Amino acid sequence: MSKRPKDNTVGPWAEEKLDSLRRGLDYWTTRLKKKTYWEQVFVDAFAGPGMSAVRSRPADDKPAHASGMDDIFASLLPAEEADPVEQEVRYLKGSPRIALELPNPFHRYIFIEKDPERLAKLEGLKEEFHGRRSIEIVAGDANQALLSLLNSKFSKRTHRAYIFLDPFGIQVPWSTIEALAATEAIEVMINFPLGMAIRRMMPNSGDVPKGWSISLDTFFGTPDWRKQTYEEVTDLGGTRTVKFADSEERLLQWYRERLGFAFGHVSQPQLITNTRGGRLYYLIWAGPHPAGLKGADYILTMKSRGGPKKLAPSR
């Protein structure tokens, strides 16, 4: 699996993602604050350390190549994601801390992480909020932990949950998405890593390495991603495979349609770009309730409308 930078730094674009998450969680907890007959749970499936330094690079610095990674995504990382820290100028609160500091908190928090250093920082965060928040830290694989949660006493009758799926690659298979949707009690915000991983695994020639092809089949839950990406064309040179000019838009729309079919409702996407304007990933919300869709669409399209305006939560 792909790994985050070991120095726990983030690019400046993470601020936009985390602000959307904060607004989404605030909308969710405000909407459900009087519905105490449900246990309300926040799950951060790739939690990280809870606080990260923001990387700073000179504007004219040329991108470097990723190195030192030990898995198939090593060569797929965007240049700025692979750069070492050159100057740490400020810190960002990570998704665990953002969720813990909500004015209307969840009843329970579950933070999933596999890296020992980040787990230690999460334990420190748990101690900081001791007596104020119910926090469970799970060490291990995110997908296994999520399925274990669903196999416990979690049910539509007694629970509601908001799950943040923010991997660094394509670590969330479609089987996990389907299992979450089947509860009819879970809303998710998903990082769809179209630029950070997916695009780079789909060469223009259509000659996708076998290992990558299997990984993409697992991620999308079907090999039909090829139909959204490639077509066969015949010319004087014979028949060959070429990539659609709008393959990324086709994949994004197709993935959203699949999310909508699984959950019932799916939001408009929010594009997150790096400092050079390169497309990194999209944030997408999916869930079973139209009131959740109303808030998610408003929040995730806020930038294109020129900034935030007050939105009253639906009851």
Side-chain angles (χ1 to χ4, degrees), residues 151-173:
N151 289 331
S152 63
K153 295 181 180 180
F154 188 97
S155 76
K156 178 181 177 181
R157 185 177 61 84
T158 57
H159 293 75
R160 290 293 184 271
Y162 194 111
I163 298 181
F164 186 39
L165 298 172
D166 185 30
F168 204 57
I170 57 171
Q171 294 99 324
V172 182

Side-chain angles (χ1 to χ4, degrees), residues 19 38 41 47 64 66-67 80 118 121 131 139 149 156 165 176 184 192 195 202 205 211 218 246-247 252 266 273:
D19 184 61
W38 291 320
V41 185
S67 62
E80 290 184 303
R118 295 174 194 129
K121 292 183 181 297
L149 168 67
K156 178 181 177 181
L165 298 172
T176 297
E184 299 182 2
F192 181 57
M202 298 177 176
S205 66
T218 302
D246 62 345
S247 61
L252 174 63
V266 64
T273 63

Side-chain angles (χ1 to χ4, degrees), residues 198-206 226 228-233 240-248 250-251:
I198 296 171
R199 175 201 303 152
R200 300 164 190 267
M201 298 175 73
M202 298 177 176
N204 291 336
S205 66
R226 289 183 174 274
Q228 306 300 322
T229 310
Y230 299 107
E231 63 176 334
E232 298 292 323
V233 298
R240 55 194 173 89
T241 300
V242 298
K243 202 172 190 178
F244 286 114
D246 62 345
S247 61
E248 293 189 20
R250 293 167 64 98
L251 281 168

Side-chain angles (χ1 to χ4, degrees), residues 264-283:
H265 301 278
V266 64
S267 73
Q268 295 297 316
Q270 178 183 359
L271 172 63
I272 304 296
T273 63
N274 63 19
T275 55
R276 297 184 182 88
R279 299 184 175 195
L280 295 178
Y281 52 85
Y282 291 86
L283 293 180

Side-chain angles (χ1 to χ4, degrees), residues 164-237:
F164 186 39
L165 298 172
D166 185 30
F168 204 57
I170 57 171
Q171 294 99 324
V172 182
W174 189 255
S175 58
T176 297
I177 297 294
E178 285 185 316
L180 299 178
T183 67
E184 299 182 2
I186 290 173
E187 298 178 25
V188 296
M189 183 177 284
I190 300 173
N191 173 335
F192 181 57
L194 192 53
M196 291 184 68
I198 296 171
R199 175 201 303 152
R200 300 164 190 267
M201 298 175 73
M202 298 177 176
N204 291 336
S205 66
D207 187 16
V208 182
K210 183 177 180 180
W212 292 1
S213 182
I214 293 171
S215 294
L216 289 165
D217 289 353
T218 302
F219 176 77
F220 287 111
T222 171
D224 286 350
W225 55 269
R226 289 183 174 274
K227 297 178 182 178
Q228 306 300 322
T229 310
Y230 299 107
E231 63 176 334
E232 298 292 323
V233 298
T234 302
D235 52 26
L236 295 177

